[in-house]
Amino acid sequence: MKRTVEILGIPFYNVSQNAFVDELMDAAVNKKRRFIVTANPEIVMHAQQDLEFNQVIRQADYVVADGIGVVKAAKSIGKPLKGRVTGYDTMLGLLEKANEMKLRVYFIGAKPNVIEKLKEHVSVKYSHIEIVGARDGYFEASDSEAIAEDILRSQADFVFLALGFPRQEKWISAYLDKFEKGVFMGVGGSFDVLSGCTKRAPSFWVKFNLEWLYRILSQPSRWKRALAIPRFMLAMKKQRRQG
């Protein structure tokens, strides 16, 4: 039975980064189907307002803490998590192991130039991976059925979607029943970083859990999204008072 910690109604899986990658690899090798949501405070707060998104998250096999705010919140209620489990690091770990086992990967999302650079990067660094599909995120809702059918035909072991939340999670939820196997995970802006189009925060910022601040300083247009953090802190304060 999975051990979870509930934060504002969202059940977070209590697992370490490395153990989680191993668990997903085991699922992939054994041809099981898994749906993962990597959630930070912004996603948790969005789920409080978007009931459809809230239900999608609850349907996921795993919700993991992609954000130091969630980790600190769990500690504040006396139910500490083992640490952050980020979408980016999970994807990297899975790509490394998929390369060793020559598995199949399908990429959906980001801009056309980003997805092309991503394909080039993965083909070189993970040369044993079979890229069975790669398309940008600029498609109409009417195209989704055909994309799902293409994934089904590809027999992909891993499907990574960089469509941004809540679109990527809602897309997975809408078409998940079509598949009997495959690890499906939304990874936000990870394609931009992996392709080299965007720099990830330097190690100093990562070490001190300040990646969120680095992103705001690098992309000032994100400052409105950062307002979710104080709202999350206030909501957690209320949860603690209620016991």
Side-chain angles (χ1 to χ4, degrees):
M1 183 177 178
K2 299 200 304 288
R3 290 186 301 162
T4 61
V5 175
E6 192 164 295
I7 303 293
L8 299 180
I10 305 299
F12 282 87
Y13 186 29
N14 195 1
V15 67
S16 68
Q17 179 70 71
N18 291 338
F20 190 53
V21 169
D22 288 342
E23 192 166 335
L24 295 182
M25 276 303 300
D26 182 70
V29 170
N30 288 289
K31 301 188 182 304
K32 295 179 181 178
R33 186 187 70 191
R34 294 290 184 266
F35 170 23
I36 300 97
V37 173
T38 63
N40 57 19
E42 186 182 4
I43 289 175
V44 172
M45 294 313 296
H46 188 81
Q48 309 304 303
Q49 302 168 335
D50 184 339
L51 295 182
E52 180 191 354
F53 185 49
N54 195 302
Q55 290 175 349
V56 164
I57 291 178
R58 290 176 173 279
Q59 290 167 1
D61 295 293
Y62 302 103
V63 183
V64 291
D66 188 347
I68 191 61
V70 174
V71 175
K72 289 184 175 181
K75 186 176 181 180
S76 75
I77 59 174
K79 299 177 180 180
L81 293 166
K82 293 181 179 179
R84 290 179 66 199
V85 180
T86 73
Y88 184 75
D89 290 320
T90 300
M91 182 175 71
L92 282 190
L94 293 174
L95 289 176
E96 289 171 6
K97 290 182 179 295
N99 187 55
E100 294 170 7
M101 304 192 71
K102 301 181 180 179
L103 299 181
R104 300 179 175 191
V105 180
Y106 202 112
F107 299 104
I108 306 174
K111 296 178 180 178
N113 67 306
V114 172
I115 201 74
E116 288 302 317
K117 289 183 178 180
L118 178 72
K119 284 167 59 181
E120 292 173 12
H121 175 80
V122 172
S123 296
V124 173
K125 186 166 185 178
Y126 308 101
S127 58
H128 296 302
I129 282 178
E130 185 179 353
I131 301 176
V132 293
R135 63 160 301 144
D136 63 65
Y138 291 79
F139 59 86
E140 300 296 329
S142 57
D143 299 323
S144 291
E145 186 72 32
I147 294 171
E149 289 292 340
D150 192 47
I151 295 171
L152 186 61
R153 286 190 298 270
S154 76
Q155 289 293 294
D157 298 296
F158 298 98
V159 182
F160 298 113
L161 296 93
L163 301 173
F165 86 88
R167 185 186 174 200
Q168 59 197 16
E169 288 80 18
K170 288 183 177 180
W171 195 97
I172 295 171
S173 177
Y175 294 97
L176 194 64
D177 285 345
K178 275 185 168 289
F179 308 98
E180 294 183 355
K181 56 164 280 189
V183 173
F184 293 77
M185 182 172 72
V187 294
S190 295
F191 290 3
D192 297 79
V193 178
L194 186 58
S195 66
C197 293
T198 299
K199 289 184 179 180
R200 193 184 189 189
S203 57
F204 170 85
W205 298 79
V206 176
K207 180 180 179 181
F208 291 97
N209 299 306
L210 293 171
E211 284 177 278
W212 60 274
L213 180 57
Y214 179 85
R215 286 196 292 270
I216 293 172
L217 294 174
S218 302
Q219 299 173 280
S221 60
R222 296 175 62 100
W223 72 268
K224 285 186 178 180
R225 294 177 60 177
L227 295 177
I229 296 174
R231 290 194 295 111
F232 174 78
M233 293 170 64
L234 287 171
M236 282 305 304
K237 186 175 181 180
K238 182 178 180 182
Q239 179 176 322
R240 288 195 298 273
R241 283 203 306 265
Q242 293 174 345

